[in-house]
Amino acid sequence: MPAASRVERIRAVLQDALHPVRLEIRDDSAAHAGHVGGGGRGHFKLLIVSDAFAGKSLIQRHRLVHDALAALLVSDIHALVLETRSPDEQR
């Protein structure tokens, strides 16, 4: 699957699940070309700012993201780097 399609699928799922006020997705797959174990799936860095994260611990925030992306983690995503914030934590 083309990288742009993966990014758009990730964006759509996160928009629907977390209603972020800010969402940045960076595809870092090219930096991991030939990476053993990736199985053709991508590496992504996400910045998500959402009210859904207010009052939640880092682990709870990451679980929300992983739960939302569960199907894509099987087929399209090999690795995620997450930065999760509530709107009052924006820089």
Side-chain angles (χ1 to χ4, degrees), residues 1-10:
M1 170 176 297
S5 296
R6 286 182 179 160
V7 169
E8 290 312 311
R9 287 180 69 192
I10 292 168

Side-chain angles (χ1 to χ4, degrees), residues 37-58:
R41 296 176 293 157
H43 292 245
F44 299 92
K45 181 173 184 178
L46 310 178
L47 167 63
I48 309 166
V49 180
S50 173
D51 286 322
F53 299 141
K56 300 227 176 358
S57 70
L58 182 64

Side-chain angles (χ1 to χ4, degrees), residues 22-52:
R22 182 174 171 197
L23 176 58
E24 296 177 17
I25 303 171
R26 187 174 79 202
D27 184 351
D28 286 339
S29 300
H32 300 276
H35 178 106
V36 176
R41 296 176 293 157
H43 292 245
F44 299 92
K45 181 173 184 178
L46 310 178
L47 167 63
I48 309 166
V49 180
S50 173
D51 286 322

